[in-house]
PDB file of all heavy atoms in Angstrom:
ATOM      1  N   SER A 685     -70.895 -44.289 152.899  1.00 96.00           N
ATOM      2  CA  SER A 685     -69.805 -43.751 152.083  1.00 96.00           C
ATOM      3  C   SER A 685     -70.384 -42.910 150.961  1.00 96.00           C
ATOM      4  O   SER A 685     -71.558 -43.057 150.593  1.00 96.00           O
ATOM      5  CB  SER A 685     -68.941 -44.875 151.522  1.00 96.00           C
ATOM      6  OG  SER A 685     -69.705 -45.701 150.669  1.00 96.00           O
ATOM      7  N   MET A 686     -69.566 -42.003 150.440  1.00 96.00           N
ATOM      8  CA  MET A 686     -69.988 -41.207 149.290  1.00 96.00           C
ATOM      9  C   MET A 686     -68.764 -40.596 148.619  1.00 96.00           C
ATOM     10  O   MET A 686     -67.677 -40.540 149.213  1.00 96.00           O
ATOM     11  CB  MET A 686     -70.959 -40.104 149.692  1.00 96.00           C
ATOM     12  CG  MET A 686     -70.336 -38.906 150.363  1.00 96.00           C
ATOM     13  SD  MET A 686     -71.414 -37.462 150.402  1.00 96.00           S
ATOM     14  CE  MET A 686     -71.557 -37.055 148.675  1.00 96.00           C
ATOM     15  N   THR A 687     -68.983 -40.131 147.401  1.00 97.00           N
ATOM     16  CA  THR A 687     -67.939 -39.444 146.652  1.00 97.00           C
ATOM     17  C   THR A 687     -68.415 -38.047 146.291  1.00 97.00           C
ATOM     18  O   THR A 687     -69.508 -37.885 145.744  1.00 97.00           O
ATOM     19  CB  THR A 687     -67.577 -40.206 145.368  1.00 97.00           C
ATOM     20  OG1 THR A 687     -67.082 -41.504 145.721  1.00 97.00           O
ATOM     21  CG2 THR A 687     -66.511 -39.455 144.588  1.00 97.00           C
ATOM     22  N   LEU A 688     -67.614 -37.072 146.628  1.00 97.00           N
ATOM     23  CA  LEU A 688     -67.859 -35.698 146.217  1.00 97.00           C
ATOM     24  C   LEU A 688     -67.122 -35.471 144.906  1.00 97.00           C
ATOM     25  O   LEU A 688     -65.919 -35.751 144.794  1.00 97.00           O
ATOM     26  CB  LEU A 688     -67.361 -34.707 147.272  1.00 97.00           C
ATOM     27  CG  LEU A 688     -68.206 -34.495 148.530  1.00 97.00           C
ATOM     28  CD1 LEU A 688     -68.247 -35.747 149.380  1.00 97.00           C
ATOM     29  CD2 LEU A 688     -67.667 -33.321 149.340  1.00 97.00           C
ATOM     30  N   GLN A 689     -67.861 -34.969 143.919  1.00 97.00           N
ATOM     31  CA  GLN A 689     -67.277 -34.784 142.600  1.00 97.00           C
ATOM     32  C   GLN A 689     -66.781 -33.353 142.411  1.00 97.00           C
ATOM     33  O   GLN A 689     -67.398 -32.403 142.895  1.00 97.00           O
ATOM     34  CB  GLN A 689     -68.312 -35.114 141.515  1.00 97.00           C
ATOM     35  CG  GLN A 689     -68.867 -36.527 141.574  1.00 97.00           C
ATOM     36  CD  GLN A 689     -67.835 -37.580 141.214  1.00 97.00           C
ATOM     37  OE1 GLN A 689     -66.782 -37.283 140.645  1.00 97.00           O
ATOM     38  NE2 GLN A 689     -68.135 -38.843 141.555  1.00 97.00           N
ATOM     39  N   CYS A 690     -65.669 -33.230 141.707  1.00 97.00           N
ATOM     40  CA  CYS A 690     -65.116 -31.921 141.371  1.00 97.00           C
ATOM     41  C   CYS A 690     -64.552 -31.986 139.959  1.00 97.00           C
ATOM     42  O   CYS A 690     -63.781 -32.904 139.635  1.00 97.00           O
ATOM     43  CB  CYS A 690     -64.019 -31.523 142.346  1.00 97.00           C
ATOM     44  SG  CYS A 690     -63.182 -29.984 141.892  1.00 97.00           S
ATOM     45  N   THR A 691     -64.919 -31.010 139.154  1.00 97.00           N
ATOM     46  CA  THR A 691     -64.434 -30.930 137.775  1.00 97.00           C
ATOM     47  C   THR A 691     -64.066 -29.496 137.456  1.00 97.00           C
ATOM     48  O   THR A 691     -64.786 -28.571 137.820  1.00 97.00           O
ATOM     49  CB  THR A 691     -65.528 -31.395 136.793  1.00 97.00           C
ATOM     50  OG1 THR A 691     -65.866 -32.747 137.069  1.00 97.00           O
ATOM     51  CG2 THR A 691     -65.033 -31.302 135.358  1.00 97.00           C
ATOM     52  N   GLN A 692     -62.950 -29.334 136.759  1.00 96.00           N
ATOM     53  CA  GLN A 692     -62.567 -27.992 136.296  1.00 96.00           C
ATOM     54  C   GLN A 692     -62.266 -28.040 134.799  1.00 96.00           C
ATOM     55  O   GLN A 692     -61.729 -29.026 134.294  1.00 96.00           O
ATOM     56  CB  GLN A 692     -61.371 -27.452 137.099  1.00 96.00           C
ATOM     57  CG  GLN A 692     -60.152 -28.337 137.151  1.00 96.00           C
ATOM     58  CD  GLN A 692     -59.128 -28.091 136.072  1.00 96.00           C
ATOM     59  OE1 GLN A 692     -59.210 -27.113 135.320  1.00 96.00           O
ATOM     60  NE2 GLN A 692     -58.137 -28.960 135.994  1.00 96.00           N
ATOM     61  N   ASP A 693     -62.621 -26.956 134.120  1.00 94.00           N
ATOM     62  CA  ASP A 693     -62.457 -26.911 132.665  1.00 94.00           C
ATOM     63  C   ASP A 693     -61.436 -25.862 132.247  1.00 94.00           C
ATOM     64  O   ASP A 693     -61.481 -25.357 131.120  1.00 94.00           O
ATOM     65  CB  ASP A 693     -63.805 -26.666 131.981  1.00 94.00           C
ATOM     66  CG  ASP A 693     -64.424 -25.328 132.359  1.00 94.00           C
ATOM     67  OD1 ASP A 693     -63.813 -24.576 133.152  1.00 94.00           O
ATOM     68  OD2 ASP A 693     -65.534 -25.028 131.858  1.00 94.00           O
ATOM     69  N   MET A 694     -60.516 -25.537 133.157  1.00 91.00           N
ATOM     70  CA  MET A 694     -59.512 -24.504 132.888  1.00 91.00           C
ATOM     71  C   MET A 694     -58.144 -25.104 132.574  1.00 91.00           C
ATOM     72  O   MET A 694     -57.157 -24.382 132.471  1.00 91.00           O
ATOM     73  CB  MET A 694     -59.425 -23.571 134.100  1.00 91.00           C
ATOM     74  CG  MET A 694     -60.725 -22.820 134.342  1.00 91.00           C
ATOM     75  SD  MET A 694     -60.716 -21.829 135.848  1.00 91.00           S
ATOM     76  CE  MET A 694     -60.963 -23.081 137.088  1.00 91.00           C
ATOM     77  N   ASN A 695     -58.087 -26.427 132.472  1.00 90.00           N
ATOM     78  CA  ASN A 695     -56.834 -27.132 132.186  1.00 90.00           C
ATOM     79  C   ASN A 695     -55.767 -26.856 133.250  1.00 90.00           C
ATOM     80  O   ASN A 695     -54.575 -26.768 132.937  1.00 90.00           O
ATOM     81  CB  ASN A 695     -56.304 -26.769 130.792  1.00 90.00           C
ATOM     82  CG  ASN A 695     -55.347 -27.825 130.252  1.00 90.00           C
ATOM     83  OD1 ASN A 695     -55.484 -29.008 130.545  1.00 90.00           O
ATOM     84  ND2 ASN A 695     -54.374 -27.389 129.478  1.00 90.00           N
ATOM     85  N   HIS A 696     -56.220 -26.708 134.489  1.00 90.00           N
ATOM     86  CA  HIS A 696     -55.289 -26.464 135.584  1.00 90.00           C
ATOM     87  C   HIS A 696     -54.632 -27.763 136.028  1.00 90.00           C
ATOM     88  O   HIS A 696     -55.289 -28.799 136.150  1.00 90.00           O
ATOM     89  CB  HIS A 696     -56.024 -25.836 136.768  1.00 90.00           C
ATOM     90  CG  HIS A 696     -56.363 -24.405 136.561  1.00 90.00           C
ATOM     91  ND1 HIS A 696     -57.197 -23.705 137.422  1.00 90.00           N
ATOM     92  CD2 HIS A 696     -55.979 -23.517 135.620  1.00 90.00           C
ATOM     93  CE1 HIS A 696     -57.297 -22.462 137.005  1.00 90.00           C
ATOM     94  NE2 HIS A 696     -56.569 -22.325 135.908  1.00 90.00           N
ATOM     95  N   ASN A 697     -53.341 -27.673 136.311  1.00 89.00           N
ATOM     96  CA  ASN A 697     -52.633 -28.858 136.798  1.00 89.00           C
ATOM     97  C   ASN A 697     -52.941 -29.154 138.257  1.00 89.00           C
ATOM     98  O   ASN A 697     -53.062 -30.302 138.662  1.00 89.00           O
ATOM     99  CB  ASN A 697     -51.126 -28.669 136.648  1.00 89.00           C
ATOM    100  CG  ASN A 697     -50.687 -28.682 135.198  1.00 89.00           C
ATOM    101  OD1 ASN A 697     -51.327 -29.311 134.357  1.00 89.00           O
ATOM    102  ND2 ASN A 697     -49.616 -27.985 134.895  1.00 89.00           N
TER     103      ASN A 697
END
Side-chain angles (χ1 to χ4, degrees):
Chain A
S685 63
M686 77 164 294
T687 299
L688 283 66
Q689 301 291 344
C690 174
T691 299
Q692 54 92 9
D693 62 0
M694 296 175 283
N695 202 32
H696 285 170
N697 290 332

